[in-house]
Amino acid sequence: MMTKAVLPDSALPTHWYNLAADFPEPLPPHLHPGTREPLKQEEMTPIFAKGLVEQEFSTERWIEIPEPIREIYRIWRPAPMGRAHRLEKALGTSARIYYKNESVSPIGSHKPNTSVAQAYYNKLDGMKKLTTETGAGQWGASLAFAAQFFDIDVEVWQVRASFDSKPYRRMLMEVYGAAVHPSPSDLTEAGRAILAETPDTPGSLGMAVSEAIEVAVQSDDTRYALGSVLNHVMLHQTIIGQEAAAQLAMFGETGPDIVVGCAGGGSNLAGLVFPFIGHSLTGDVLPDGGVPASASGAASTDGGAAGTGAAGSGAGDAGAAGSGAAGRRGPRIVAAEPAKCPSLTRGEYRYDHGDVAGLTPLLKMHTLGSEFVPDPIHAGGLRYHAMAPMVSHAVDLGLMDPVAVEQEDAFAAGIQFARCEGTVPAPESNHAIAAACDEARKHTGEPGTGPVILIGLSGNGFLDLPSYANFS
């Protein structure tokens, strides 16, 4: 009985996939915060690396991954996929449940997929320092991990609620050489203004973003790095979905019927599902279980990862993400967000700032308002007031179904997963697991005859055990 699929190093994707090339309607442009006119590339370069800005505006379907980035990716990628046999049995479901395991990275999450790329492009621009925000600490640790390969210093503003409740994340960032501050802090004008108004605030990612950007723009050799939300971050994560398609083929599947990812800023979700959505829309993104048709050598499936079509197996009538030129049905895409920060299920789809101080461009996204301060839930990586523009656009086009998950239900699902499959999931990942379990329970009958459900296990919870203890 096959329990895991591990691709060889030769199967590491050589290109990122850009869904912006295949959306049936163009992605709404970012707007200048002052003029409200479409943002120009040169207006983003004071904050972001030139190569990243080019990717932010790109509508090319495939963007080559530079070899220095792939060299670092090979430390942990390709990441494995597991079949959750024991979870299936515990749920009494006929569904076949798989999970793409991003917890095996050195940091324990999917975040290094973009941190390595961002550090590389900033090094090309001669940057000496990067500033950033972090919630649970996964992103801050990932950037610190990546930057030390390129001799770049890192300064991190961590949301106060997570800074206090997750001390080991701060320690991990410091191991990699980063300086870490609680946010809001008294080190920036933005932080001081927030503290003057609400001295007991638990902080938010929007506040931390404001502080990190304020510091970045004050020096010519410093830039800002963002761990989610923006288009180039979504792009870097798409190696997840490309690998997943090839691994499902190794299991003998022709593709998933339901794909479930947790949704905070959107990067983990996008990385898992965008290649499947693109294939649903066009029929030629993943025709061979993960080998991009439009990029020469964009992925190799040496070692048995050949397959046919990854748009959905049809084993379960799970709905369609959309149909494109090839008329193919796609998997149902489920975005699982926390009920305490429900940007997709209760937010408005409109232009808003990505930060509290209004320093970022205006982005068209599902938002609860840039000044919204979420409750200090344990899933710190999902405590963002808005959703990535690309994910928001996909939801608006009907290509994704958002669901809100209560924190108690998420932890209950995470504990059940840990006891069945061994890995303790990150609190963020628990939301995807809970939503997937809800889907699986709808299907009873002969084991293994139901739909194929693919879960994004975005990270492990080994440094989040106090959160589990509080839940218990």
Side-chain angles (χ1 to χ4, degrees):
M1 182 170 61
M2 186 172 175
T3 59
K4 62 180 178 295
V6 181
L7 292 166
D9 285 357
S10 59
L12 180 67
T14 61
H15 290 69
W16 294 302
Y17 167 66
N18 186 9
L19 182 58
D22 293 323
F23 272 130
E25 296 178 13
L27 189 67
H30 304 338
L31 301 183
H32 189 284
T35 66
R36 299 186 72 89
E37 294 294 323
L39 198 68
K40 300 175 183 177
Q41 290 193 30
E42 58 268 25
E43 292 171 332
M44 288 191 76
T45 51
I47 301 176
F48 297 100
K50 180 180 177 182
L52 299 175
V53 172
E54 291 173 354
Q55 293 170 4
E56 187 70 18
F57 286 81
S58 176
T59 55
E60 294 293 321
R61 177 184 276 189
W62 297 106
I63 296 177
E64 186 171 4
I65 306 173
E67 182 54 31
I69 295 175
R70 297 179 77 240
E71 180 182 351
I72 299 173
Y73 279 173
R74 290 189 190 98
I75 294 173
W76 75 97
R77 304 209 72 89
M81 174 181 287
R83 171 81 183 269
H85 291 289
R86 294 171 182 81
L87 181 62
E88 293 170 16
K89 183 177 180 180
L91 295 173
T93 181
S94 62
R96 304 190 296 285
I97 302 176
Y98 299 90
Y99 57 97
K100 179 61 172 166
N101 191 353
E102 291 296 304
S103 75
V104 300
S105 78
I107 303 304
S109 80
H110 66 291
K111 291 294 188 178
N113 298 333
T114 185
S115 68
V116 173
Q118 293 192 46
Y120 168 79
Y121 286 108
N122 275 285
K123 182 66 174 180
L124 292 185
D125 285 359
M127 293 298 108
K128 303 296 185 183
K129 179 179 174 181
L130 290 172
T131 67
T132 196
E133 79 298 324
T134 194
Q138 293 274 20
W139 167 243
S142 295
L143 188 64
F145 158 78
Q148 48 98 23
F149 288 110
F150 300 100
D151 297 319
I152 298 175
D153 293 333
V154 172
E155 190 168 11
V156 182
W157 275 262
Q158 184 173 21
V159 174
R160 165 62 77 175
S162 293
F163 183 90
D164 292 339
S165 65
K166 302 178 188 291
Y168 294 110
R169 294 281 187 216
R170 171 180 56 79
M171 295 175 192
L172 183 58
M173 288 183 256
E174 291 171 345
V175 164
Y176 289 119
V180 188
H181 316 294
S183 175
S185 74
D186 60 2
L187 301 174
T188 66
E189 290 186 14
R192 289 189 291 271
I194 294 167
L195 288 172
E197 184 175 344
T198 53
D200 296 327
T201 178
S204 71
L205 283 168
M207 295 177 188
V209 170
S210 295
E211 294 199 87
I213 291 178
E214 180 181 322
V215 172
V217 298
Q218 293 174 358
S219 177
D220 292 338
D221 64 358
T222 302
R223 287 222 181 95
Y224 169 68
L226 183 61
S228 193
V229 181
L230 291 178
N231 301 343
H232 65 268
V233 185
M234 308 298 113
L235 176 79
H236 301 155
Q237 296 291 353
T238 58
I239 54 177
I240 300 174
Q242 292 182 61
E243 290 179 6
Q247 288 163 319
L248 285 173
M250 292 175 69
F251 277 104
E253 307 287 4
T254 57
D257 295 293
I258 304 169
V259 186
V260 189
C262 61
S267 67
N268 156 73
L269 175 69
L272 178 68
V273 308
F274 276 9
F276 291 106
I277 292 177
H279 189 74
S280 300
L281 293 170
T282 68
D284 64 359
V285 173
L286 300 168
D288 290 312
V291 181
S294 302
S296 175
S300 168
T301 54
D302 294 347
T308 58
S313 69
D317 188 10
S323 57
R328 300 188 184 187
R329 296 188 42 166
R332 180 178 174 227
I333 306 297
V334 179
E337 66 178 3
K340 295 294 186 181
C341 197
S343 60
L344 288 174
T345 53
R346 298 185 64 182
E348 298 177 341
Y349 185 46
R350 61 177 174 84
Y351 276 98
D352 194 11
H353 289 286
D355 70 319
V356 172
L359 300 176
T360 66
L362 288 164
L363 310 175
K364 184 78 177 286
M365 54 190 178
H366 286 85
T367 179
L368 297 165
S370 60
E371 295 186 356
F372 175 79
V373 180
D375 290 344
I377 60 175
H378 294 301
L382 304 184
R383 293 181 68 252
Y384 188 60
H385 68 273
M387 187 57 60
M390 291 186 76
V391 172
S392 295
H393 191 51
V395 170
D396 189 59
L397 293 175
L399 303 176
M400 285 188 201
D401 296 331
V403 298
V405 178
E406 295 290 346
Q407 180 166 252
E408 293 77 10
D409 296 333
F411 271 103
I415 289 173
Q416 184 176 35
F417 184 92
R419 291 175 179 175
C420 289
E421 303 302 323
T423 297
V424 178
E428 293 81 4
S429 304
N430 288 342
H431 293 73
I433 294 169
C437 288
D438 286 345
E439 293 291 337
R441 291 188 187 99
K442 299 174 184 177
H443 303 276
T444 58
E446 186 68 22
T449 62
V452 173
I453 300 178
L454 174 60
I455 304 171
L457 181 62
S458 59
N460 67 55
F462 296 151
L463 295 184
D464 299 293
L465 292 178
S467 298
Y468 278 89
N470 290 337
F471 170 77
S472 300

